Amino acid sequence: MNKPGDRIDISVAHPARRYNYWLGGKDNFQADRDSGDAIAAAFPTIRTTALENRRFLQRAVGHLAREAGIRQFLDIGTGIPTADNTHEVAQAIAPESRVVYVDNDPIVLAHARALLTSSAEGATAYLDADLRDPERILAHPDLRRTIDLSRPVGLMLVAILHFVPDSDDPGGLVGRLLDALPAGSYLAASHATADHLPPEVAAEAKAAGRGGGPHGLIALRSRAEVARFFAGLELAEPGLTSVAEWRAEAEPRPRPSAAEVSMYGAVARKP
């Protein structure tokens, strides 16, 4: 059986490493930087998008832990750890919070095992798995040891669904995950869009997002398409909106525009 490290292909861009590059990190390779630069050439504010998306995750986790009373989180598409990860935000509010991280990049796996350490009262686990195999995630013994699927879970799908093409049925994947979670669970998700971009910029961004093979693909979906991921759920205020504006009252002003960020986000409860 291959070790995770055997799967690292530094010649192909990977979303987690490209995101790390946009955030100013050092855990990336030339292919990631080239892909990141190509997207930045078409969409110059992509680094603002990455930062605002990260802040959305932190505010969403804070809302779920503080206001919704969620104490268990399933964070799929973790990315390379940086400041204020899901468990750090949640455990600062409720030290007993338990978090399972999932990513399919072996570099993320190595960093997560080293850096994602839990509070004494809570727990964290890391799964080397893919969003496109939800049954494997849900049945994984490390997940089952860490969180109780009979109690509400905060499902975090932050900046990952736009890497899943329509041919892989992203809506179906979200549905299969939510079906396994009890009433009172939440979905927090963000998703790239071209809705706010001029047509020529949107075309360039879409073309850049298609580069670099499967890991390079970015599906820029419309608001209506993103809203389908939340079908049947109860949206928390302010609903589906720019990640830069979702419960951002305490963030520094002026806020980036919807066009600068081009990312929708929402948090919703499973009734």
PDB file of all heavy atoms in Angstrom, residues 190-224:
ATOM      1  N   SER A 190     -18.938  27.773   1.301  1.00  0.00           N
ATOM      2  CA  SER A 190     -18.664  28.917   0.431  1.00  0.00           C
ATOM      3  C   SER A 190     -18.310  28.385  -0.951  1.00  0.00           C
ATOM      4  O   SER A 190     -17.864  27.241  -1.097  1.00  0.00           O
ATOM      5  CB  SER A 190     -17.538  29.780   1.000  1.00  0.00           C
ATOM      6  OG  SER A 190     -16.329  29.060   1.086  1.00  0.00           O
ATOM      7  N   HIS A 191     -18.516  29.240  -1.963  1.00  0.00           N
ATOM      8  CA  HIS A 191     -18.387  28.772  -3.350  1.00  0.00           C
ATOM      9  C   HIS A 191     -18.054  29.944  -4.267  1.00  0.00           C
ATOM     10  O   HIS A 191     -18.674  31.006  -4.196  1.00  0.00           O
ATOM     11  CB  HIS A 191     -19.701  28.122  -3.795  1.00  0.00           C
ATOM     12  CG  HIS A 191     -19.580  27.288  -5.026  1.00  0.00           C
ATOM     13  ND1 HIS A 191     -19.256  27.811  -6.266  1.00  0.00           N
ATOM     14  CD2 HIS A 191     -19.731  25.952  -5.211  1.00  0.00           C
ATOM     15  CE1 HIS A 191     -19.224  26.830  -7.156  1.00  0.00           C
ATOM     16  NE2 HIS A 191     -19.496  25.698  -6.540  1.00  0.00           N
ATOM     17  N   ALA A 192     -17.084  29.745  -5.142  1.00  0.00           N
ATOM     18  CA  ALA A 192     -16.688  30.775  -6.101  1.00  0.00           C
ATOM     19  C   ALA A 192     -17.781  31.005  -7.134  1.00  0.00           C
ATOM     20  O   ALA A 192     -18.519  30.088  -7.507  1.00  0.00           O
ATOM     21  CB  ALA A 192     -15.397  30.368  -6.798  1.00  0.00           C
ATOM     22  N   THR A 193     -17.852  32.252  -7.613  1.00  0.00           N
ATOM     23  CA  THR A 193     -18.862  32.613  -8.607  1.00  0.00           C
ATOM     24  C   THR A 193     -18.283  33.639  -9.576  1.00  0.00           C
ATOM     25  O   THR A 193     -17.315  34.341  -9.255  1.00  0.00           O
ATOM     26  CB  THR A 193     -20.114  33.199  -7.923  1.00  0.00           C
ATOM     27  OG1 THR A 193     -21.122  33.452  -8.904  1.00  0.00           O
ATOM     28  CG2 THR A 193     -19.793  34.510  -7.205  1.00  0.00           C
ATOM     29  N   ALA A 194     -18.897  33.721 -10.746  1.00  0.00           N
ATOM     30  CA  ALA A 194     -18.553  34.773 -11.712  1.00  0.00           C
ATOM     31  C   ALA A 194     -19.688  35.785 -11.838  1.00  0.00           C
ATOM     32  O   ALA A 194     -19.642  36.657 -12.708  1.00  0.00           O
ATOM     33  CB  ALA A 194     -18.249  34.159 -13.076  1.00  0.00           C
ATOM     34  N   ASP A 195     -20.690  35.698 -10.959  1.00  0.00           N
ATOM     35  CA  ASP A 195     -21.888  36.539 -11.075  1.00  0.00           C
ATOM     36  C   ASP A 195     -21.567  38.028 -11.099  1.00  0.00           C
ATOM     37  O   ASP A 195     -22.268  38.801 -11.753  1.00  0.00           O
ATOM     38  CB  ASP A 195     -22.842  36.263  -9.903  1.00  0.00           C
ATOM     39  CG  ASP A 195     -23.665  35.006 -10.108  1.00  0.00           C
ATOM     40  OD1 ASP A 195     -23.508  34.348 -11.152  1.00  0.00           O
ATOM     41  OD2 ASP A 195     -24.461  34.682  -9.204  1.00  0.00           O
ATOM     42  N   HIS A 196     -20.551  38.441 -10.359  1.00  0.00           N
ATOM     43  CA  HIS A 196     -20.286  39.866 -10.191  1.00  0.00           C
ATOM     44  C   HIS A 196     -19.201  40.382 -11.134  1.00  0.00           C
ATOM     45  O   HIS A 196     -18.805  41.547 -11.032  1.00  0.00           O
ATOM     46  CB  HIS A 196     -19.883  40.150  -8.740  1.00  0.00           C
ATOM     47  CG  HIS A 196     -20.795  39.540  -7.737  1.00  0.00           C
ATOM     48  ND1 HIS A 196     -22.110  39.937  -7.589  1.00  0.00           N
ATOM     49  CD2 HIS A 196     -20.614  38.532  -6.847  1.00  0.00           C
ATOM     50  CE1 HIS A 196     -22.681  39.206  -6.634  1.00  0.00           C
ATOM     51  NE2 HIS A 196     -21.793  38.358  -6.178  1.00  0.00           N
ATOM     52  N   LEU A 197     -18.716  39.528 -12.014  1.00  0.00           N
ATOM     53  CA  LEU A 197     -17.608  39.914 -12.886  1.00  0.00           C
ATOM     54  C   LEU A 197     -18.102  40.347 -14.258  1.00  0.00           C
ATOM     55  O   LEU A 197     -19.095  39.804 -14.760  1.00  0.00           O
ATOM     56  CB  LEU A 197     -16.643  38.728 -13.056  1.00  0.00           C
ATOM     57  CG  LEU A 197     -16.031  38.150 -11.774  1.00  0.00           C
ATOM     58  CD1 LEU A 197     -15.138  36.966 -12.119  1.00  0.00           C
ATOM     59  CD2 LEU A 197     -15.246  39.205 -11.014  1.00  0.00           C
ATOM     60  N   PRO A 198     -17.414  41.297 -14.901  1.00  0.00           N
ATOM     61  CA  PRO A 198     -17.735  41.607 -16.296  1.00  0.00           C
ATOM     62  C   PRO A 198     -17.567  40.348 -17.148  1.00  0.00           C
ATOM     63  O   PRO A 198     -16.714  39.502 -16.836  1.00  0.00           O
ATOM     64  CB  PRO A 198     -16.692  42.670 -16.679  1.00  0.00           C
ATOM     65  CG  PRO A 198     -16.212  43.226 -15.377  1.00  0.00           C
ATOM     66  CD  PRO A 198     -16.318  42.116 -14.377  1.00  0.00           C
ATOM     67  N   PRO A 199     -18.355  40.196 -18.195  1.00  0.00           N
ATOM     68  CA  PRO A 199     -18.323  38.953 -18.995  1.00  0.00           C
ATOM     69  C   PRO A 199     -16.933  38.550 -19.449  1.00  0.00           C
ATOM     70  O   PRO A 199     -16.572  37.371 -19.397  1.00  0.00           O
ATOM     71  CB  PRO A 199     -19.238  39.281 -20.178  1.00  0.00           C
ATOM     72  CG  PRO A 199     -20.168  40.329 -19.650  1.00  0.00           C
ATOM     73  CD  PRO A 199     -19.381  41.137 -18.674  1.00  0.00           C
ATOM     74  N   GLU A 200     -16.117  39.525 -19.887  1.00  0.00           N
ATOM     75  CA  GLU A 200     -14.795  39.165 -20.389  1.00  0.00           C
ATOM     76  C   GLU A 200     -13.876  38.689 -19.263  1.00  0.00           C
ATOM     77  O   GLU A 200     -13.075  37.759 -19.442  1.00  0.00           O
ATOM     78  CB  GLU A 200     -14.158  40.343 -21.140  1.00  0.00           C
ATOM     79  CG  GLU A 200     -13.832  41.578 -20.290  1.00  0.00           C
ATOM     80  CD  GLU A 200     -15.027  42.495 -20.057  1.00  0.00           C
ATOM     81  OE1 GLU A 200     -16.163  42.121 -20.426  1.00  0.00           O
ATOM     82  OE2 GLU A 200     -14.814  43.602 -19.524  1.00  0.00           O
ATOM     83  N   VAL A 201     -14.016  39.291 -18.074  1.00  0.00           N
ATOM     84  CA  VAL A 201     -13.220  38.859 -16.924  1.00  0.00           C
ATOM     85  C   VAL A 201     -13.682  37.478 -16.467  1.00  0.00           C
ATOM     86  O   VAL A 201     -12.866  36.605 -16.137  1.00  0.00           O
ATOM     87  CB  VAL A 201     -13.321  39.871 -15.775  1.00  0.00           C
ATOM     88  CG1 VAL A 201     -12.566  39.378 -14.540  1.00  0.00           C
ATOM     89  CG2 VAL A 201     -12.784  41.227 -16.213  1.00  0.00           C
ATOM     90  N   ALA A 202     -14.994  37.262 -16.459  1.00  0.00           N
ATOM     91  CA  ALA A 202     -15.533  35.955 -16.078  1.00  0.00           C
ATOM     92  C   ALA A 202     -15.027  34.876 -17.019  1.00  0.00           C
ATOM     93  O   ALA A 202     -14.639  33.781 -16.577  1.00  0.00           O
ATOM     94  CB  ALA A 202     -17.059  35.995 -16.092  1.00  0.00           C
ATOM     95  N   ALA A 203     -14.987  35.164 -18.313  1.00  0.00           N
ATOM     96  CA  ALA A 203     -14.510  34.184 -19.292  1.00  0.00           C
ATOM     97  C   ALA A 203     -13.040  33.845 -19.048  1.00  0.00           C
ATOM     98  O   ALA A 203     -12.636  32.671 -19.102  1.00  0.00           O
ATOM     99  CB  ALA A 203     -14.715  34.714 -20.703  1.00  0.00           C
ATOM    100  N   GLU A 204     -12.232  34.868 -18.759  1.00  0.00           N
ATOM    101  CA  GLU A 204     -10.810  34.631 -18.496  1.00  0.00           C
ATOM    102  C   GLU A 204     -10.615  33.820 -17.217  1.00  0.00           C
ATOM    103  O   GLU A 204      -9.781  32.917 -17.159  1.00  0.00           O
ATOM    104  CB  GLU A 204     -10.074  35.967 -18.379  1.00  0.00           C
ATOM    105  CG  GLU A 204      -9.917  36.720 -19.693  1.00  0.00           C
ATOM    106  CD  GLU A 204      -9.176  38.030 -19.500  1.00  0.00           C
ATOM    107  OE1 GLU A 204      -8.447  38.148 -18.496  1.00  0.00           O
ATOM    108  OE2 GLU A 204      -9.327  38.925 -20.350  1.00  0.00           O
ATOM    109  N   ALA A 205     -11.378  34.163 -16.178  1.00  0.00           N
ATOM    110  CA  ALA A 205     -11.257  33.450 -14.909  1.00  0.00           C
ATOM    111  C   ALA A 205     -11.673  31.988 -15.068  1.00  0.00           C
ATOM    112  O   ALA A 205     -11.025  31.084 -14.524  1.00  0.00           O
ATOM    113  CB  ALA A 205     -12.104  34.130 -13.840  1.00  0.00           C
ATOM    114  N   LYS A 206     -12.737  31.758 -15.821  1.00  0.00           N
ATOM    115  CA  LYS A 206     -13.174  30.377 -16.049  1.00  0.00           C
ATOM    116  C   LYS A 206     -12.126  29.600 -16.831  1.00  0.00           C
ATOM    117  O   LYS A 206     -11.848  28.437 -16.540  1.00  0.00           O
ATOM    118  CB  LYS A 206     -14.517  30.371 -16.784  1.00  0.00           C
ATOM    119  CG  LYS A 206     -15.689  30.816 -15.915  1.00  0.00           C
ATOM    120  CD  LYS A 206     -16.998  30.825 -16.699  1.00  0.00           C
ATOM    121  CE  LYS A 206     -18.159  31.257 -15.815  1.00  0.00           C
ATOM    122  NZ  LYS A 206     -19.440  31.315 -16.552  1.00  0.00           N
ATOM    123  N   ALA A 207     -11.516  30.245 -17.834  1.00  0.00           N
ATOM    124  CA  ALA A 207     -10.486  29.574 -18.633  1.00  0.00           C
ATOM    125  C   ALA A 207      -9.268  29.250 -17.772  1.00  0.00           C
ATOM    126  O   ALA A 207      -8.713  28.152 -17.840  1.00  0.00           O
ATOM    127  CB  ALA A 207     -10.085  30.458 -19.807  1.00  0.00           C
ATOM    128  N   ALA A 208      -8.870  30.194 -16.909  1.00  0.00           N
ATOM    129  CA  ALA A 208      -7.736  29.952 -16.015  1.00  0.00           C
ATOM    130  C   ALA A 208      -8.051  28.838 -15.027  1.00  0.00           C
ATOM    131  O   ALA A 208      -7.205  28.009 -14.711  1.00  0.00           O
ATOM    132  CB  ALA A 208      -7.371  31.227 -15.263  1.00  0.00           C
ATOM    133  N   GLY A 209      -9.293  28.800 -14.559  1.00  0.00           N
ATOM    134  CA  GLY A 209      -9.702  27.772 -13.608  1.00  0.00           C
ATOM    135  C   GLY A 209      -9.745  26.386 -14.195  1.00  0.00           C
ATOM    136  O   GLY A 209      -9.685  25.400 -13.478  1.00  0.00           O
ATOM    137  N   ARG A 210      -9.835  26.311 -15.529  1.00  0.00           N
ATOM    138  CA  ARG A 210      -9.858  24.989 -16.169  1.00  0.00           C
ATOM    139  C   ARG A 210      -8.457  24.443 -16.406  1.00  0.00           C
ATOM    140  O   ARG A 210      -8.308  23.310 -16.837  1.00  0.00           O
ATOM    141  CB  ARG A 210     -10.616  25.065 -17.493  1.00  0.00           C
ATOM    142  CG  ARG A 210     -12.119  25.184 -17.332  1.00  0.00           C
ATOM    143  CD  ARG A 210     -12.832  24.936 -18.642  1.00  0.00           C
ATOM    144  NE  ARG A 210     -12.583  26.000 -19.594  1.00  0.00           N
ATOM    145  CZ  ARG A 210     -13.348  27.084 -19.739  1.00  0.00           C
ATOM    146  NH1 ARG A 210     -14.393  27.251 -18.949  1.00  0.00           N
ATOM    147  NH2 ARG A 210     -13.067  28.007 -20.643  1.00  0.00           N
ATOM    148  N   GLY A 211      -7.424  25.240 -16.126  1.00  0.00           N
ATOM    149  CA  GLY A 211      -6.068  24.783 -16.384  1.00  0.00           C
ATOM    150  C   GLY A 211      -5.565  23.831 -15.322  1.00  0.00           C
ATOM    151  O   GLY A 211      -6.041  23.803 -14.200  1.00  0.00           O
ATOM    152  N   GLY A 212      -4.585  23.022 -15.697  1.00  0.00           N
ATOM    153  CA  GLY A 212      -3.885  22.203 -14.709  1.00  0.00           C
ATOM    154  C   GLY A 212      -4.557  20.904 -14.354  1.00  0.00           C
ATOM    155  O   GLY A 212      -4.276  20.334 -13.309  1.00  0.00           O
ATOM    156  N   GLY A 213      -5.427  20.358 -15.185  1.00  0.00           N
ATOM    157  CA  GLY A 213      -6.028  19.066 -14.906  1.00  0.00           C
ATOM    158  C   GLY A 213      -7.098  19.145 -13.835  1.00  0.00           C
ATOM    159  O   GLY A 213      -7.556  20.215 -13.470  1.00  0.00           O
ATOM    160  N   PRO A 214      -7.512  18.008 -13.273  1.00  0.00           N
ATOM    161  CA  PRO A 214      -8.621  17.989 -12.311  1.00  0.00           C
ATOM    162  C   PRO A 214      -8.400  18.900 -11.110  1.00  0.00           C
ATOM    163  O   PRO A 214      -9.325  19.538 -10.614  1.00  0.00           O
ATOM    164  CB  PRO A 214      -8.675  16.514 -11.883  1.00  0.00           C
ATOM    165  CG  PRO A 214      -8.052  15.764 -13.003  1.00  0.00           C
ATOM    166  CD  PRO A 214      -7.007  16.671 -13.579  1.00  0.00           C
ATOM    167  N   HIS A 215      -7.149  18.977 -10.625  1.00  0.00           N
ATOM    168  CA  HIS A 215      -6.895  19.818  -9.455  1.00  0.00           C
ATOM    169  C   HIS A 215      -6.946  21.292  -9.802  1.00  0.00           C
ATOM    170  O   HIS A 215      -7.013  22.137  -8.923  1.00  0.00           O
ATOM    171  CB  HIS A 215      -5.540  19.468  -8.841  1.00  0.00           C
ATOM    172  CG  HIS A 215      -5.518  18.144  -8.162  1.00  0.00           C
ATOM    173  ND1 HIS A 215      -6.518  17.723  -7.318  1.00  0.00           N
ATOM    174  CD2 HIS A 215      -4.612  17.138  -8.187  1.00  0.00           C
ATOM    175  CE1 HIS A 215      -6.228  16.515  -6.847  1.00  0.00           C
ATOM    176  NE2 HIS A 215      -5.084  16.145  -7.364  1.00  0.00           N
ATOM    177  N   GLY A 216      -6.867  21.638 -11.055  1.00  0.00           N
ATOM    178  CA  GLY A 216      -6.906  23.031 -11.442  1.00  0.00           C
ATOM    179  C   GLY A 216      -8.302  23.547 -11.696  1.00  0.00           C
ATOM    180  O   GLY A 216      -8.520  24.741 -11.730  1.00  0.00           O
ATOM    181  N   LEU A 217      -9.249  22.662 -11.906  1.00  0.00           N
ATOM    182  CA  LEU A 217     -10.588  23.059 -12.291  1.00  0.00           C
ATOM    183  C   LEU A 217     -11.284  23.855 -11.197  1.00  0.00           C
ATOM    184  O   LEU A 217     -11.245  23.502 -10.029  1.00  0.00           O
ATOM    185  CB  LEU A 217     -11.405  21.812 -12.625  1.00  0.00           C
ATOM    186  CG  LEU A 217     -12.851  22.052 -13.062  1.00  0.00           C
ATOM    187  CD1 LEU A 217     -13.232  21.087 -14.159  1.00  0.00           C
ATOM    188  CD2 LEU A 217     -13.819  21.907 -11.885  1.00  0.00           C
ATOM    189  N   ILE A 218     -11.907  24.956 -11.597  1.00  0.00           N
ATOM    190  CA  ILE A 218     -12.775  25.701 -10.690  1.00  0.00           C
ATOM    191  C   ILE A 218     -14.092  25.946 -11.425  1.00  0.00           C
ATOM    192  O   ILE A 218     -14.102  26.567 -12.484  1.00  0.00           O
ATOM    193  CB  ILE A 218     -12.160  27.045 -10.257  1.00  0.00           C
ATOM    194  CG1 ILE A 218     -10.839  26.832  -9.518  1.00  0.00           C
ATOM    195  CG2 ILE A 218     -13.132  27.802  -9.353  1.00  0.00           C
ATOM    196  CD1 ILE A 218     -10.148  28.117  -9.128  1.00  0.00           C
ATOM    197  N   ALA A 219     -15.176  25.424 -10.881  1.00  0.00           N
ATOM    198  CA  ALA A 219     -16.500  25.632 -11.469  1.00  0.00           C
ATOM    199  C   ALA A 219     -17.113  26.873 -10.837  1.00  0.00           C
ATOM    200  O   ALA A 219     -17.485  26.869  -9.666  1.00  0.00           O
ATOM    201  CB  ALA A 219     -17.386  24.410 -11.226  1.00  0.00           C
ATOM    202  N   LEU A 220     -17.171  27.953 -11.592  1.00  0.00           N
ATOM    203  CA  LEU A 220     -17.739  29.216 -11.092  1.00  0.00           C
ATOM    204  C   LEU A 220     -19.252  29.171 -11.282  1.00  0.00           C
ATOM    205  O   LEU A 220     -19.751  29.378 -12.375  1.00  0.00           O
ATOM    206  CB  LEU A 220     -17.127  30.397 -11.837  1.00  0.00           C
ATOM    207  CG  LEU A 220     -15.608  30.531 -11.710  1.00  0.00           C
ATOM    208  CD1 LEU A 220     -15.087  31.646 -12.606  1.00  0.00           C
ATOM    209  CD2 LEU A 220     -15.200  30.770 -10.261  1.00  0.00           C
ATOM    210  N   ARG A 221     -19.979  28.886 -10.210  1.00  0.00           N
ATOM    211  CA  ARG A 221     -21.421  28.679 -10.306  1.00  0.00           C
ATOM    212  C   ARG A 221     -22.191  29.954  -9.956  1.00  0.00           C
ATOM    213  O   ARG A 221     -21.724  30.791  -9.186  1.00  0.00           O
ATOM    214  CB  ARG A 221     -21.844  27.514  -9.417  1.00  0.00           C
ATOM    215  CG  ARG A 221     -21.256  26.175  -9.870  1.00  0.00           C
ATOM    216  CD  ARG A 221     -21.812  24.979  -9.119  1.00  0.00           C
ATOM    217  NE  ARG A 221     -21.378  23.727  -9.749  1.00  0.00           N
ATOM    218  CZ  ARG A 221     -20.348  22.993  -9.323  1.00  0.00           C
ATOM    219  NH1 ARG A 221     -19.655  23.372  -8.258  1.00  0.00           N
ATOM    220  NH2 ARG A 221     -20.006  21.893  -9.969  1.00  0.00           N
ATOM    221  N   SER A 222     -23.392  30.043 -10.479  1.00  0.00           N
ATOM    222  CA  SER A 222     -24.255  31.191 -10.217  1.00  0.00           C
ATOM    223  C   SER A 222     -24.866  31.094  -8.818  1.00  0.00           C
ATOM    224  O   SER A 222     -24.820  30.033  -8.169  1.00  0.00           O
ATOM    225  CB  SER A 222     -25.380  31.242 -11.252  1.00  0.00           C
ATOM    226  OG  SER A 222     -26.273  30.153 -11.040  1.00  0.00           O
ATOM    227  N   ARG A 223     -25.484  32.190  -8.389  1.00  0.00           N
ATOM    228  CA  ARG A 223     -26.128  32.188  -7.082  1.00  0.00           C
ATOM    229  C   ARG A 223     -27.207  31.114  -7.003  1.00  0.00           C
ATOM    230  O   ARG A 223     -27.325  30.420  -5.983  1.00  0.00           O
ATOM    231  CB  ARG A 223     -26.736  33.563  -6.789  1.00  0.00           C
ATOM    232  CG  ARG A 223     -27.263  33.717  -5.366  1.00  0.00           C
ATOM    233  CD  ARG A 223     -27.868  35.092  -5.133  1.00  0.00           C
ATOM    234  NE  ARG A 223     -28.134  35.308  -3.714  1.00  0.00           N
ATOM    235  CZ  ARG A 223     -29.165  34.784  -3.048  1.00  0.00           C
ATOM    236  NH1 ARG A 223     -30.036  34.014  -3.684  1.00  0.00           N
ATOM    237  NH2 ARG A 223     -29.325  35.033  -1.756  1.00  0.00           N
ATOM    238  N   ALA A 224     -27.990  30.973  -8.062  1.00  0.00           N
ATOM    239  CA  ALA A 224     -29.043  29.955  -8.070  1.00  0.00           C
ATOM    240  C   ALA A 224     -28.446  28.556  -7.957  1.00  0.00           C
ATOM    241  O   ALA A 224     -29.007  27.687  -7.265  1.00  0.00           O
ATOM    242  CB  ALA A 224     -29.881  30.078  -9.338  1.00  0.00           C
TER     243      ALA A 224
END
